[in-house]
């Protein structure tokens, strides 16, 4: 912290040294700070103490550095980080000092100040302890006062008042940072001090013209305030001279040795000027707008002139007056710099304030938007929770580490688990090791990016055992360069009711299967036995009735069989017991099974088989083939041929029944993936518009004809279901009057082996 | 087993009409004799007494179904050697396979072809119908 040196010690030393000048030339309470004092603290002090011209950095009362007010202002202007700087960063070292014992030798002091071009000279005792600081200006004034005293000049106050007056003016100038006020104070005070008729400050404009911007004038003379000076009056070469520090003291403007140009004489005569004293005011250049924001380039130029006029008489300007004017011009310059700095800082503050206001506005807007988004999110989350908590399913989200991250309220209702307590807990820990091991493969599959479903049993909190269907949907993040599974969503649905219905249906089918077939078996067998005639001959009409009953019983048997078959297949009850089967054997088996019927219809069955192995349930493939063969035989005219064939077929992965046809097949197809079965007849054919619908249930080409042929309308539907269950495709092609071909594909055993190997 | 070529078949079915038509079919087709039983328990009893050449056993019967009855016949030293064929209304391939896995000699589904029933049984049990005295028109 700063302090002022105590006067007590100085006073005693002063008495000891006996210097008459000591109190006049020195500040015996110089302001000192520790060298590590923060610049901000020092500047804050300076603001409250305009009379302080320099700051001393001291340690144990010994001077370690010195900084003038101007040094501090420069630091403020040039360093954006000034607030964090220390006094030690800007002070001048080493410090030129003078011993107290030497201060009586004024000329030595002046010489030292001039030699080092310094304004302040700290005075130290024999142990280098600080006693005070000599101010160059004060020293010069004292000297001047001495001289003036010797010259018996009564125009100005004598020692020690002159020094005080100067200090007083300086203080007044420094007390304001407002340019106009500074300038007016300066001219007022100088006019008062010099007793001049007019003191003015003339500002030089960038274009070389200028005008009086501040003036103190006695009422007897006209004011030249705001009057522009033509360039001829103050030409550029004069400006250059003044910029270099020229001081012009003219006792009589009309005297030939005054060398005042005629043009200027005419001008100044207008204002009754007899004598004039002109000193330049130089100051740093204004920082250009494009300059770096945190530094000010320091270049001096002629800012203006400080001019004193004597109008009532010719006046010889003393050296002291000239010196005083120069000193005050310097002070004005300094004050201008400070004012400029102030303006600059104020502009910066305004700019920063504007920026901050804008940023603040933006921030407020962002906060508002964020609040709106948060509110929307909150509403969305509330809505989501409302939905998830009211859906009769368990909904959970499990992360990669298999920890629950979300559970809906239904967990509590069904299982008694509080969602809050489940949050963050491992699945394994919560559901127990035994159940975890059961579902582990599904969890791992989901975390591997696969959607999986399984059925399971759960014991609810109320003790009921329920059947559930569980689906895991992987949460795949595509945002990153490589898609990553972040976790999975788990949906668990209570399917107990559906299961109960399924069981009822199964029971129903079983009952129908048994209860319908049993009486049918009796009727069917009885009719067949009657038809043999072995139980007695019937009349012709009786025989016909018997045939009708027999045929319709057959049809009823087929219908019951088909309905039950279809029901089973659609309910998924059918278990495909797939194995590698020889296509040739299947073809022969089917042909043999239909031989009797073919014989009955006088149809020839021709087979053509390529030796292949398919992955299928042989019973169902034979059922499909016999069904298709039965149709072919029924709808063929006597003595026609039905061809049953099988060949290799390289199925296109994205082909559909409509775009698959034998014409697509090419012998060059690589490694066949399926076997293509074909049942070809020479029957009446199927109209094109019926081709796609004949595989739908009860969609016969001609129902009356079909009934005549004993069809049930379900045969082709069953065929399609069987083929699809085997991963194959079925379709038909036909030309009216020329016959039909029914095709279906079944995957080859080798293709499935290849497929499973490639998926490993 | 019957000493002559004529076969004696035990028909176990809770449906009397089925008993009758099966019996008549076998008689007409191959002149085989039939022994009738209306339940599993009665079937076991009749099998012990008559020692038939084969048993046609209905699967779905009340109290003791065909599978349990077959199991009891298998565990009975007196009936163990008699071949059993299931006669069932269940037609699904998987069910048929399930029945076959019990160790029965064969499975015939209802409704069957009446005048081919004896032939079917013979085929399942590797009998030759030609060796038998034909009672009907089929030989």
């Amino acid at each position: 912290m700063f302090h002022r040196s105590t006067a007590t010690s100085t006073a005693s030393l002063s008495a000891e040294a006996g210097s008459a000048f000591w109190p006049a030339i020195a500040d015996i309470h110089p302001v000192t700070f520790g060298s590590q004092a923060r610049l901000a603290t020092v500047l804050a002090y300076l603001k409250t103490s305009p009379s302080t011209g320099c700051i001393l950095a001291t340690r144990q009362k010994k001077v370690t550095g010195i900084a003038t007010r101007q040094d501090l202002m420069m630091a403020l202007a040039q360093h954006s980080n000034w607030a964090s700087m220390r006094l030690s960063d800007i002070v001048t070292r080493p410090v030129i000092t003078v011993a107290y014992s030497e201060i009586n030798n004024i000329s030595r002091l002046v010489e030292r100040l001039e030699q080092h071009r310094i304004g302040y000279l700290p005075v130290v005792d024999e142990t280098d302890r600080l006693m005070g600081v000599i101010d160059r200006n004060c020293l010069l004034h004292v000297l001047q006062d001495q001289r003036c005293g010797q010259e018996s000049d009564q125009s100005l106050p004598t020692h020690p008042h002159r020094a005080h007056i100067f200090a007083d003016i300086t203080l007044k100038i420094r007390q304001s940072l407002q340019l106009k006020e500074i300038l007016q104070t300066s001219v007022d005070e100088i006019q008062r001090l010099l007793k001049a008729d007019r003191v003015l400050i003339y500002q030089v404009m960038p274009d070389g013209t200028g005008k009086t911007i501040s003036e103190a004038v006695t009422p007897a003379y006209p004011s030249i305030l705001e009057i522009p000076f033509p360039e001829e009056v103050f030409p550029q070469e004069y400006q250059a001279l003044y910029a270099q520090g020229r001081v012009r003291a003219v006792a009589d403007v009309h005297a030939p040795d005054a060398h005042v140009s005629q043009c200027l004489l005419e001008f100044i005569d207008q204002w009754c000027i007899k004598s004039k004293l002109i000193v330049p005011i130089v100051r740093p250049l204004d920082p250009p707008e494009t300059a770096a924001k945190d530094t000010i380039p320091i270049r001096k130029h002629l800012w203006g002139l400080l001019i004193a006029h004597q109008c009532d008489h010719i006046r010889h300007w003393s050296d002291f007056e000239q010196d005083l004017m120069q000193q005050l011009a310097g002070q004005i310059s300094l004050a201008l710099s400070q004012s400029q700095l102030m303006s600059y800082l104020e502009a910066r503050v305004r700019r920063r304030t504007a920026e901050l206001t804008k940023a603040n506005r933006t921030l407020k807007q962002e906060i508002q938007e964020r609040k709106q988004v948060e509110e929307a999110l909150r509403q969305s989350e509330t809505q989501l929770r409302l939905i998830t908590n009211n859906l009769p399913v368990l909904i959970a989200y499990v992360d990669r580490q298999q920890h629950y991250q979300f559970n809906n309220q239904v967990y509590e209702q069904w299982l008694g688990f509080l969602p809050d307590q489940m949050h963050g807990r491992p699945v394994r820990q919560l559901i127990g090791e035994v159940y975890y091991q059961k579902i582990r493969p599904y969890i791992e599959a989901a975390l591997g990016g696969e959607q999986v479903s399984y059925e399971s049993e759960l014991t609810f909190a109320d003790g009921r055992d329920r059947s559930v269907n569980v689906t895991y949907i992987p949460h795949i993040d595509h945002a990153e360069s490589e898609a990553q599974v972040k976790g999975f969503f788990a949906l668990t649905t209570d399917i107990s009711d559906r299961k109960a219905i399924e069981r009822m249906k199964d029971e129903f089918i079983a009952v129908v299967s048994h209860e319908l077939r049993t009486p049918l078996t009796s009727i069917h067998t009885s009719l067949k036995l009657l038809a043999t005639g072995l139980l007695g001959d019937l009349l012709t009409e009786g025989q016909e009735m018997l045939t009708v009953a027999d045929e319709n019983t057959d049809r009823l048997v087929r219908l019951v069989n088909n309905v039950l078959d279809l029901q089973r297949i659609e309910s998924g009850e059918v278990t495909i017991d797939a194995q590698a089967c020889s296509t040739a054997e299947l073809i022969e088996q089917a042909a043999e099974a239909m031989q009797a019927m073919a014989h009955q219809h006088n149809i020839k069955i021709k087979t053509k088989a390529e030796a292949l192995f398919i992955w299928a349930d042989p019973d169902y493939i034979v059922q499909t083939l016999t069904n298709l063969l039965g149709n072919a035989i029924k709808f063929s005219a006597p003595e026609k041929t039905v061809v049953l064939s099988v060949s290799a077929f390289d199925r296109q992965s994205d082909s559909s029944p409509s775009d698959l046809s034998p014409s697509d097949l090419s012998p060059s197809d690589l490694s066949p993936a399926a076997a293509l079965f074909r049942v070809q007849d020479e029957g009446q054919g199927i109209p094109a518009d019926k081709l796609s619908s004949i595989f739908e249930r009860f969609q016969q080409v001609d129902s009356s004809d079909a009934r005549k042929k004993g069809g049930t309308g379900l045969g082709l539907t069953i065929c399609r279901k069987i083929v699809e269950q085997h991963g194959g495709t079925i379709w038909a092609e036909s030309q009216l009057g020329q016959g039909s071909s029914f095709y279906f594909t079944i995957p080859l055993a080798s293709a499935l082996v290849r497929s499973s190997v490639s998926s490993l | 087993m019957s000493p002559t070529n004529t076969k004696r078949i035990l028909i176990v079915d809770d449906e009397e009409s089925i008993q009758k038509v099966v019996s008549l079919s076998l008689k007409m087709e191959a002149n085989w004799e039939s022994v009738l039983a209306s339940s599993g328990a009665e079937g076991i009893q009749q099998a012990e007494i008559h020692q038939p050449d084969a048993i046609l056993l209905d699967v779905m019967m009340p109290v003791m179904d065909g599978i349990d009855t077959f199991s009891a016949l298998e565990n009975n030293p007196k009936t163990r050697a008699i071949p059993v064929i299931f006669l069932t209304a269940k037609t699904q391939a998987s069910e048929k396979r399930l029945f076959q896995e019990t160790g029965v000699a064969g499975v015939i589904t209802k409704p069957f072809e009446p005048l081919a029933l004896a032939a079917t049984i013979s085929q399942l049990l590797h009998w030759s119908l030609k060796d038998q005295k034909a009672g009907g028109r089929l030989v």
Side-chain angles (χ1 to χ4, degrees), chain A residues 544-556:
Chain A
E544 282 174 9
M545 286 303 105
L546 189 61
T547 305
V548 169
D550 186 32
E551 282 174 2
N552 281 284
T553 311
D554 280 347
R555 194 171 151 212
L556 192 57

Side-chain angles (χ1 to χ4, degrees), chain B residues 42 46 54 62 70 85-86 90 104 116 132:
Chain B
E42 190 188 346
Q46 295 287 38
F70 172 65
I85 294 170
F86 276 147
K90 296 201 171 193
V104 291
Q132 297 158 31

